[in-house]
Amino acid sequence: MDPFDAGAGGILRQPRAVWATAGASVVAFMGIGLVDPILPSIAQGLDATASQVSLLFTSYFLITAVAMLLTGFVSSRIGGRRTLLLGLAFVVVFAGLAGTSGSVAQLVGFRAGWGLGNALFVSTALAVIVGAAAGGSAAAILLYESALGLGMACGPLLGALLGNVSWRYPFFGTATLMAIGFLCITAFLKEQPKPARKTSVLDPIRALGHGGLASAAVSAFFYNYTFFTVLAFTPFVLDMTPYRSGAVFFAWGLLLAVFSVIVAPRMQRRFGSLKVLGGSLVLLAVDVLVLGYGNHTAAVVCTILSGAFIGVNNTVYTELALGVSDAPRPVASAGYNFVRWFAAAAAPYFAPKIEEWTDIHIPFAVAAVTAVLGAVVVVVRRKALTHEAEELETAHATEDGVTVFAN
């Protein structure tokens, strides 16, 4: 059955609370790629270097990674709805302040506050969507990945449209959209039941003691370094106007959405989750190498094409992280994200530095190596991941097309 079928098992037939949360998630993910097409404009407007402007990603994801340890602690005490609203409030305030920045240091600081809000919102949103969605966990994950892909696609487009007037406008636009999301969550989402047991700050770290979850997190760490080298460093290599750069990353985001929601599940059914993941990581490595060493046209094509591999990887990694261990989903997700977001913080910092130390090609060679290392972890640790992979394949092959994960 088509997972988008409007019947009881499809992702299109969902409660309003789920749609409100998914809609706000789209805007939250827009914030990640929003600055892509305007990075050169920000550098020019604030008289900053590429490495300084790239700290916008580093501060954002470094705070996001650390905050992952706090999300379960907070949500298990004040509830999922209040945690979502708290995260949205942080994003509204700090995104708005980012638009008023008078220096790179201020902008980097405000992005850090934005990252804290995004961590509170995004990690809780997945748990809320999984808990409230009709059609089981697969419908919820597909809806979440749809929100991710749509947000990743629209973020650069919004950044280009507003950033062509001023680099400050995309930040104000995001604050406005998140304020609308805040109102929608307030209106449509009822308070979620609190967990029977309160989560401690160290629970996500303890969850990483599970071999399967640790393996998925380490592999995702290497993969995310590649992912965010493409996202944060490529705009400087393309050296295009905000409109052109926004169009490139819009096409990139569309491929990401299509391959994460439609293509990845079908490939998993046919080839198996681990084979799909390993193969996609190797192809991403090849794509990144061509991006770095080819001419300008090749760089544009490979940037867009990387969205396909990233979309496949995102879906498989998300499913593995949610089901591979016996820890509660929010705890397992927090531990997994704690590890992988450190790579998202590292790549935007090191890629420009590596270029300064060597040349413009080497950052992409390093990114290709990290993608291969992610695949190596999958191969070497396949036994730790096999049990979950088999469950995923069995679930994807069910007649109604709905994957059901054990709590």
Side-chain angles (χ1 to χ4, degrees):
M1 174 184 275
D2 187 344
F4 289 94
D5 181 70
I11 71 170
L12 297 181
R13 190 177 182 85
Q14 300 294 338
R16 286 185 298 177
V18 171
W19 286 117
T21 306
S25 297
V26 171
V27 182
F29 287 119
M30 285 171 62
I32 295 177
L34 178 83
V35 299
D36 258 20
I38 57 172
L39 284 175
S41 299
I42 293 174
Q44 182 178 3
L46 296 178
D47 193 24
T49 64
S51 60
Q52 288 175 323
V53 172
S54 293
L55 291 175
L56 293 177
F57 285 99
T58 298
S59 64
Y60 181 89
F61 287 115
L62 186 60
I63 296 301
T64 297
V66 175
M68 284 298 167
L69 300 180
L70 302 175
T71 55
F73 178 87
V74 173
S75 64
S76 65
R77 285 163 174 77
I78 68 174
R81 181 175 180 271
R82 291 179 181 176
T83 303
L84 289 177
L85 293 175
L86 179 63
L88 287 170
F90 268 103
V91 174
V92 170
V93 170
F94 283 103
L97 288 173
T100 68
S101 300
S103 68
V104 172
Q106 284 185 340
L107 186 53
V108 168
F110 291 142
R111 279 283 284 184
W114 187 343
L116 173 60
N118 215 52
L120 289 170
F121 176 81
V122 170
S123 63
T124 308
L126 178 56
V128 168
I129 290 174
V130 169
S137 296
I141 290 173
L142 287 176
L143 189 59
Y144 183 80
E145 292 295 339
S146 298
L148 187 155
L150 187 59
M152 286 289 198
C154 293
L157 192 61
L158 178 67
L161 293 174
L162 297 180
N164 197 58
V165 181
S166 168
W167 65 263
R168 299 180 186 274
Y169 285 9
F171 298 108
F172 295 139
T174 299
T176 301
L177 290 173
M178 286 306 253
I180 295 173
F182 184 97
L183 295 176
C184 290
I185 295 292
T186 302
F188 298 121
L189 181 63
K190 297 180 180 179
E191 184 55 75
Q192 304 295 297
K194 296 180 183 178
R197 175 180 171 273
K198 292 181 179 179
T199 302
S200 78
V201 174
L202 294 179
D203 280 350
I205 300 295
R206 296 190 184 101
L208 290 170
H210 184 280
L213 182 62
S215 300
V218 171
S219 179
F221 174 89
F222 289 121
Y223 155 66
N224 269 260
Y225 185 94
T226 308
F227 178 178
F228 285 94
T229 296
V230 173
L231 192 62
F233 186 63
T234 301
F236 293 105
V237 176
L238 297 179
D239 192 25
M240 304 168 91
T241 64
Y243 276 139
R244 290 178 181 273
S245 183
V248 168
F249 279 96
F250 177 68
W252 169 86
L254 285 180
L255 273 187
L256 189 153
V258 169
F259 274 74
S260 64
V261 176
I262 299 175
V263 178
R266 294 177 181 178
M267 291 180 67
Q268 286 173 275
R269 283 197 298 269
R270 182 169 181 179
F271 301 108
S273 296
L274 297 187
K275 289 181 180 178
V276 168
L277 183 58
S280 181
L281 287 168
V282 171
L283 291 174
L284 177 61
V286 174
D287 180 81
V288 169
L289 271 179
V290 177
L291 194 165
Y293 285 89
N295 59 25
H296 190 267
T297 300
V300 170
V301 171
C302 288
T303 298
I304 295 172
L305 185 59
S306 69
F309 306 123
I310 289 170
V312 170
N313 294 337
N314 284 350
T315 293
V316 180
Y317 274 123
T318 299
E319 292 183 346
L320 287 175
L322 283 179
V324 72
S325 78
D326 54 1
R329 284 196 191 97
V331 174
S333 178
Y336 162 78
N337 282 302
F338 172 71
V339 173
R340 77 183 182 105
W341 285 127
F342 274 111
Y349 175 78
F350 282 112
K353 290 294 185 183
I354 292 171
E355 181 200 9
E356 293 173 7
W357 299 331
T358 56
D359 60 53
I360 200 169
H361 307 295
I362 302 302
F364 294 100
V366 173
V369 169
T370 56
V372 172
L373 287 175
V376 169
V377 173
V378 171
V379 173
V380 173
R381 297 290 297 165
R382 62 187 180 279
K383 289 185 179 179
L385 297 168
T386 296
H387 174 67
E388 173 58 19
E390 288 176 347
E391 288 188 357
L392 289 176
E393 289 153 23
T394 300
H396 281 303
T398 54
E399 289 183 359
D400 62 0
V402 175
T403 307
V404 179
F405 297 99
N407 289 319

